[in-house]
Amino acid sequence: MRNSAVPCLCVMLVAAFFACDRAPAEPPDVLLITVDTLRADALHTYGFPQPSTPQMDALAARGALFENAIAASSRTVPSHASIMVSRWVRAHSVRSFNGSTRLEGHPTLAERFREAGYDTAAFVSNFVLQRRSGLDAGFELYDDALDASEAVRGGYLERSAAQTTARAVAWLAARAERPFFLWVHYQDPHGPYQPPEPFHESLDPVEVRVVRALPVLERDSGRAGIPRYQAVDAERRPAVYARRYAEEVAYTDAEIGKLVAAFEGTGAAERDRVILLTADHGESLGESGFFFQHGERTSPDQVHVPFLVLAPTVRPARFTERVHHIDVAPTLLALAGLPPLGDAQGESLVARIEGGKPAAERILFSESAREITAYRGDTYLQARPGRGALRSDPLAPEGVLRWIGSRREDDGRWLAALPDPALKAALEAHLAQRTPSAAAVELDRIDEESLRALGYVPEVPQAVPPH
Ligand SMILES: [Zn+2]
């Protein structure tokens, strides 16, 4: 334990320097929970009619809840990259297609904690987050040992919430001397929806906008039908799938309760504890023409995510301004009294959640491979590739964009057929930013065939799965 003295001293000195008036006496233990495919309104506290998420609701009641948080992308890897480096998808090295490029070239949240003397560990549950993604940077332990396959898609490795919780709890049991940063990622709300007992058929029927029977598609896109990999027997009623989704969320919620209990029973008593919970993206339940899928669109159904922050200095409150994945790292570092990442594009929310200081209105962006959305206030503007768009970057500003007008979020109602000029200008300026690292890494794509030959990459179809 002697080795821990020097890093701890460093933490305290750094904390004192950067946050002198509010640095915690001891660096806090920090838990980041990301849930795959979790719509904000799948939580009771965000409006789901049934009390199916008591653990997350309890967390929300103890902390700051942001009602309008936007994911960086509707895909897993780019969103998690934005969480870890506090940069827009367009401004880091992970492109919008999972697995095509690694995260590198920017300091990460975990690296900053580790430099400050923290123990760092991650437990992930989706194969696209395995270490080849580059998301392992800064983690002393990166547990990506996934031993199960999705029921239908054999090469899609994953880990159940119960297993992930058990491994994270075992790691927590060995923490005592040094502060730690723990990231736990849960996969279960992601399709195929297979809620385990006793959650299977535990909820009342779930209301959905579309009630007609849907076709089962030949593909997994979810466009106007049930994705092939989600299909259960001959079931075509969307409400059945929506209920199964909600039951997967309920199961994950119960596991989050176990994880949080272990976290709050761990570590030195004098250290504070910080928790931030969010999701990498949402899930379409019939909005925007897609069912039980994500990854194509960046409309609210696919990118409106829960965002909860708990710390001793945070008073329970709900906030309506828009926040974003890029605010995660600045907020956690500020709560730990650590300096921000040098090239962060997000903002610390600490002044807002501790002191009620109103946040300035920002335009926030969410990007998938073939759509980008700019969110401002309660409206959003979208652009998609038009005819003649560049193949290498369908949303590049030098290509051709198709503007999808402005909409209001609460009901999707069109505000105007023509885009708001200010929002359009902001979106065009955003699209033009492409960091050297992003360009360089794209040129040096992972050679997946080589990795697969080494047995390192799961066998997956080249058609990009919307994870
Ligand atoms: Zn995901």
Side-chain angles (χ1 to χ4, degrees):
M1 293 307 160
R2 289 168 63 88
N3 290 344
S4 66
V6 171
C8 281
L9 182 61
C10 290
V11 169
M12 296 175 71
L13 290 175
V14 169
F17 181 78
F18 282 96
C20 48
D21 61 341
R22 58 159 307 279
E26 287 273 337
D29 294 329
V30 178
L31 171 62
L32 170 64
I33 301 172
T34 61
V35 184
D36 220 287
T37 320
L38 180 61
R39 292 168 64 109
D41 65 3
L43 277 65
H44 182 57
T45 190
Y46 277 88
F48 189 71
Q50 302 181 51
S52 52
T53 53
Q55 301 299 330
M56 288 187 277
D57 296 346
L59 286 179
R62 292 165 47 200
L65 180 153
F66 286 91
E67 294 179 350
N68 295 297
I70 298 299
S73 171
S74 53
R75 295 202 180 214
T76 307
V77 183
S79 275
H80 279 97
S82 289
I83 288 170
M84 291 298 169
V85 302
S86 184
R87 293 182 67 78
W88 306 111
V89 169
R90 187 133 288 256
H92 61 55
S93 60
V94 177
R95 308 316 306 154
S96 304
F97 290 105
N98 286 329
S100 60
T101 53
R102 287 172 58 83
L103 176 65
E104 53 189 57
H106 298 284
T108 72
L109 179 61
E111 287 172 338
R112 175 55 48 84
F113 276 119
R114 191 170 178 181
E115 288 160 10
Y118 272 63
D119 285 343
T120 55
F123 296 82
V124 300
S125 310
N126 179 336
F127 76 89
V128 298
L129 295 178
Q130 286 179 305
R131 63 193 66 207
R132 70 193 176 98
S133 67
L135 287 161
D136 61 319
F139 288 104
E140 293 165 285
L141 172 65
Y142 196 80
D143 183 342
D144 59 355
L146 313 182
D147 53 8
S149 294
E150 279 184 8
V152 179
R153 302 185 294 188
Y156 289 61
L157 298 177
E158 61 182 16
R159 183 161 58 190
S160 71
Q163 288 179 304
T164 297
T165 300
R167 294 174 76 103
V169 168
W171 183 84
L172 281 168
R175 298 310 103 201
E177 294 296 317
R178 294 167 61 179
F180 61 84
F181 169 53
L182 170 62
W183 167 35
V184 178
H185 162 267
Y186 288 111
Q187 170 75 355
D188 295 79
H190 194 291
Y193 309 146
Q194 295 177 308
E197 298 298 341
F199 298 92
H200 182 223
E201 299 190 347
S202 64
L203 296 183
D204 292 333
V206 172
E207 260 189 54
V208 290
R209 293 183 191 192
V210 176
V211 296
R212 69 177 187 278
L214 297 171
V216 175
L217 304 174
E218 292 294 310
R219 305 174 54 150
D220 289 340
S221 72
R223 190 191 295 268
I226 298 163
R228 180 187 52 180
Y229 89 113
Q230 290 272 31
V232 178
D233 302 326
E235 185 57 66
R236 292 174 174 228
R237 292 171 295 172
V240 172
Y241 291 91
R243 182 170 85 169
R244 292 171 71 91
Y245 170 70
E247 289 166 347
E248 287 272 34
V249 172
Y251 162 55
T252 307
D253 180 77
E255 292 299 321
I256 288 170
K258 294 177 194 170
L259 175 69
V260 169
F263 174 67
E264 296 191 328
T266 300
E270 65 272 23
R271 287 203 297 272
D272 288 341
R273 296 185 181 90
V274 169
I275 300 174
L276 194 153
L277 182 147
T278 188
D280 59 349
H281 50 74
E283 181 85 322
S284 280
L285 301 178
E287 307 90 346
S288 64
F290 285 80
F291 291 86
F292 319 119
Q293 196 53 289
H294 54 267
E296 281 286 323
R297 295 285 182 252
T298 45
S299 43
D301 50 326
Q302 297 201 13
V303 301
H304 185 183
V305 289
F307 198 112
L308 311 177
V309 187
L310 283 81
T313 50
V314 173
R315 285 179 292 110
R318 298 175 77 101
F319 300 94
T320 57
E321 62 264 48
R322 288 201 186 278
V323 297
H324 193 277
H325 277 160
I326 60 173
D327 302 328
V328 169
T331 300
L332 289 178
L333 291 172
L335 286 169
L338 293 174
L341 300 173
D343 55 2
Q345 294 177 312
E347 295 179 2
S348 163
L349 305 173
V350 171
R352 179 64 172 138
I353 59 184
E354 288 187 348
K357 178 173 169 255
E361 185 177 81
R362 291 176 290 168
I363 297 175
L364 301 173
F365 303 95
S366 187
E367 180 174 349
S368 70
R370 298 184 64 79
E371 183 177 274
I372 186 161
T373 302
Y375 286 90
R376 182 186 60 192
D378 66 351
T379 65
Y380 59 93
L381 170 67
Q382 301 188 297
R384 295 178 197 152
R387 285 174 189 269
L390 301 186
R391 196 175 165 80
S392 60
D393 180 1
L395 292 167
E398 56 269 43
V400 180
L401 290 176
R402 200 155 48 92
W403 295 95
I404 317 294
S406 300
R407 291 186 194 230
R408 214 170 66 167
E409 176 168 351
D410 58 356
D411 55 6
R413 186 162 59 82
W414 292 102
L415 291 176
L418 293 174
D420 173 287
L423 214 46
K424 181 169 181 279
L427 206 152
E428 286 174 325
H430 175 80
L431 285 172
Q433 60 172 303
R434 208 54 204 284
T435 62
S437 69
V441 174
E442 187 160 43
L443 290 174
D444 186 22
R445 287 167 61 101
I446 297 174
D447 183 349
E448 289 203 11
E449 287 304 319
S450 303
L451 290 172
R452 190 171 291 115
L454 294 169
Y456 194 58
V457 182
E459 289 291 339
V460 294
Q462 279 305 296
V464 178
H467 268 71

